[in-house]
Amino acid sequence: LKFPGQSAGITYQLQDGDYDWYDATGKKLDTAPTQVGTYTIRIKPANVQRVIDQVAGEGNVTVDDSDITGSATFTIKPKNLLITLGDKTNSAAGKTYDGQAAMVNPNDGRFTIDGLISGEYLNTTNISAGDYSWQDEAGNDLKTAPIDAGTYYVVLNAAGLRQLQADNPNYNVIESGQFKYVISPAEAAVTIGGHQESTTAEITNSNFKISGDTGITIPTGLTYQIIGNPTESGVYEVNLTPESLQSLKDANKNYNLNITSTAKFTLKAILTIIFEDTVNGNQQVGSVITKSGISGD
């Protein structure tokens, strides 16, 4: 402060309430700011007058607005806010395979937050499912949301981070992390059917077929085998060979296949009957009779 009669001037330490606040547009604020931004403070003329009155005596020196020059800037910087996207401790994200693309709930509480001012909250109102991106189990980015059964990971994409930053302007949002999303295989029933009768233990694949629930893919060229030890006549179960079983599973990775078999293979024995005349040198009598069947026939 410099005024007539005080050549050296007076230095006064400003007190709260000695000045007014103005925003970046020059508008006077009713209260001190709390939001991020750059503000201006200007001295209140009445407070300058009060200080001068204390030095020069009341009424000796009068101050008006034009006598007060200068201002100061005050910047409120964004506070760092660490946000980590992760698995929830009490529930896992995912679904059972249904042929539809996976979707995430954008507001199901998977953010761990460090740095919020007491009483404030992270604004995720405008975060949508499109603000997340998908990765496969190896960490490779996927162009679209997954459909097939498997383990995937969800991350916040650049658009999502920008939205979080825009909705929380008082913070410098620093985001990281991911959470796991599992599409479990659906249960499906597969039945092996058919029947073959033969006197040799050799499968004819065309005698057997596979049927399954809707959506099941049946590969071509499947082969079958007799279960058990077909060295004696009897009725045996027929199932897929190990190679064909694997082919069936590979063609239906979105399903847990419950495979049952009603297919049967009847291995018949051949019975040859020859009548001999034991009185006349065991000579054959009549024609040879041949029968086929299984034990008990």
Side-chain angles (χ1 to χ4, degrees), residues 2 53 55 70 83 94 109 134 172-173 217 222-223 231 258-259 262:
K2 292 183 179 181
D53 287 347
V55 177
I83 300 175
W134 294 87
N172 177 34
V173 178
T217 299
L222 295 179
T223 56
T231 58
N258 301 311
I259 303 174
T262 61

Side-chain angles (χ1 to χ4, degrees), residues 31-131:
T31 59
T34 60
Q35 305 300 304
V36 166
T38 298
Y39 302 89
T40 301
I41 56 174
R42 297 174 185 168
I43 302 300
K44 293 180 179 179
N47 291 56
V48 176
Q49 184 67 64
R50 174 177 55 80
V51 174
I52 293 178
D53 287 347
Q54 294 173 357
V55 177
E58 187 174 351
N60 292 324
V61 178
T62 302
V63 178
D64 59 31
D65 289 354
S66 63
D67 297 318
I68 301 175
T69 59
S71 62
T73 57
F74 189 100
T75 301
I76 300 178
K77 298 179 180 180
K79 185 179 187 297
N80 283 344
L81 186 64
L82 305 179
I83 300 175
T84 304
L85 186 64
D87 294 331
K88 293 176 70 174
T89 56
N90 59 346
S91 65
K95 64 173 182 175
T96 299
Y97 172 78
D98 57 5
Q100 304 298 316
M103 295 186 65
V104 296
N105 180 353
N107 296 306
D108 65 350
R110 295 187 180 274
F111 288 121
T112 300
I113 306 165
D114 182 17
L116 273 177
I117 298 298
S118 178
E120 295 191 356
Y121 65 92
L122 179 70
N123 183 1
T124 60
T125 303
N126 295 314
I127 294 295
S128 66
D131 292 319

Side-chain angles (χ1 to χ4, degrees), residues 182-293:
V182 177
I183 302 178
S184 302
E187 299 293 327
V190 173
T191 301
I192 302 171
H195 181 249
Q196 179 180 340
E197 293 184 359
S198 177
T199 57
T200 59
E202 295 180 1
I203 286 283
T204 301
N205 290 308
S206 60
N207 289 325
F208 303 95
K209 66 177 182 178
I210 291 180
S211 59
D213 290 340
T214 302
I216 295 301
T217 299
I218 309 299
T220 59
L222 295 179
T223 56
Y224 303 85
Q225 64 180 357
I226 303 171
I227 304 301
N229 184 20
T231 58
E232 298 180 357
S233 65
V235 179
Y236 296 85
E237 178 185 333
V238 173
N239 213 320
L240 288 169
T241 60
E243 296 77 13
S244 290
L245 178 60
Q246 189 60 53
S247 295
L248 180 63
K249 291 180 177 179
D250 289 344
N252 296 278
K253 292 183 177 180
N254 291 319
Y255 296 92
N256 284 327
L257 300 180
N258 301 311
I259 303 174
T260 58
S261 176
T262 61
K264 302 297 179 184
F265 184 95
T266 299
L267 179 60
K268 290 187 174 183
I270 298 175
L271 176 64
T272 301
I273 304 171
I274 302 174
F275 292 94
E276 295 180 346
D277 183 351
T278 58
V279 175
N280 191 21
N282 293 332
Q283 293 184 11
Q284 178 176 328
V285 179
S287 301
V288 175
I289 300 173
T290 302
K291 298 287 185 179
S292 64

